[in-house]
Amino acid sequence: MGDAVGQMLASAIGIAISPLPLIAVILMLATPKGHANGIAFTAGWLVSLAVLVTVVVLASSGGGASGDDDGPASWTLWLKLGLGVLFLLMGVKQWKGRPREGHAAEPPGWMKAIDTFTPGKSAGLAAALAVANPKNLVLAVGGAVSIAASTASTGGKTAAALLMVLIASLCTLLPIGVYLLGGQKSAKVLGEWKAWMAAHNTAIMTTVLIILGAKYIGDAISGLAG
């Protein structure tokens, strides 16, 4: 299991530090329907991510061997190589697309209408941000493929997949936890989180994507050469 966890950890953290889901939850919690919408959003995020990770792990684990019963399927290594290159390109794009000094990024249109959301619409938004957002989709697929390509047993891969979903969902679970348990101080704490993530996300995500890209490419080349 340790190998599987180590392989997916960076991808899970990359999803967890995504600013949009965290900001979405915080904005929802400040609306009249905040309690119901926040819980629906978190549930939609967890379920969508769990389904995606499960499907990818099962498909990758059953994709055939590379000629070595103890090794990953060769196509998973080629996929990791492609994902590594894609991570590098995404990191460069993320940095080039950063807001210039003195300018704020334009918020998505749904943020302006978030106070009109219903629980169903909140869950749908969560699903879109979890598995339809290109960055999160690539990170989730990459982490799931890494679990499938690890040397862990079936039980170990299952546990690693569950852990990946939980870690990747911290961006929604933590705000809900603070809201439910933080009392009167929760609004201040969540507001500070939102501001910090909005201010520093570009630098953090660029670093994560570049490191992931280098790691995936290195792992793939090592596996293919072996």
Side-chain angles (χ1 to χ4, degrees):
M1 176 181 168
D3 179 45
V5 172
Q7 291 290 331
M8 66 75 181
L9 192 57
S11 294
I13 292 174
I15 299 172
I17 62 176
S18 300
L20 286 182
L22 183 142
I23 292 172
V25 172
I26 293 174
L27 290 175
M28 285 178 183
L29 293 175
T31 66
K33 297 180 181 178
H35 186 92
N37 287 353
I39 292 176
F41 183 93
T42 301
W45 177 278
L46 281 165
V47 172
S48 300
L49 198 58
V51 170
L52 175 62
V53 170
T54 299
V55 169
V56 174
V57 170
L58 290 176
S60 301
S61 298
S66 60
D68 180 357
D69 291 340
D70 296 325
S74 60
W75 72 269
T76 64
L77 296 174
W78 285 108
L79 179 56
K80 287 190 73 171
L81 180 63
L83 289 172
V85 173
L86 186 56
F87 282 138
L88 293 180
L89 294 176
M90 290 170 66
V92 172
K93 182 180 179 181
Q94 179 94 15
W95 184 250
K96 286 185 175 181
R98 71 191 186 279
R100 299 306 173 187
E101 187 174 354
H103 296 80
E106 182 69 21
W110 54 261
M111 282 191 181
K112 301 174 183 177
I114 208 163
D115 58 341
T116 67
F117 276 24
T118 62
K121 194 169 184 179
S122 299
L125 174 64
L129 292 178
V131 302
N133 179 284
K135 176 180 67 64
N136 288 339
L137 176 62
V138 174
L139 285 169
V141 170
V145 169
S146 295
I147 291 173
S150 72
T151 58
S153 64
T154 299
K157 291 179 180 179
T158 300
L162 290 172
L163 186 60
M164 176 181 171
V165 172
L166 288 176
I167 293 174
S169 299
L170 289 177
C171 53
T172 62
L173 292 171
L174 287 179
I176 286 291
V178 170
Y179 174 78
L180 295 176
L181 304 175
Q184 295 180 347
K185 295 182 179 179
S186 62
K188 182 176 182 295
V189 172
L190 293 175
E192 291 173 350
W193 286 6
K194 179 168 72 73
W196 190 89
M197 288 296 293
H200 300 288
N201 179 71
T202 297
I204 295 172
M205 285 309 306
T206 299
T207 302
V208 169
L209 289 169
I210 295 297
I211 292 174
L212 273 174
K215 181 181 185 302
Y216 274 46
I217 291 173
D219 289 349
I221 292 175
S222 177
L224 292 169

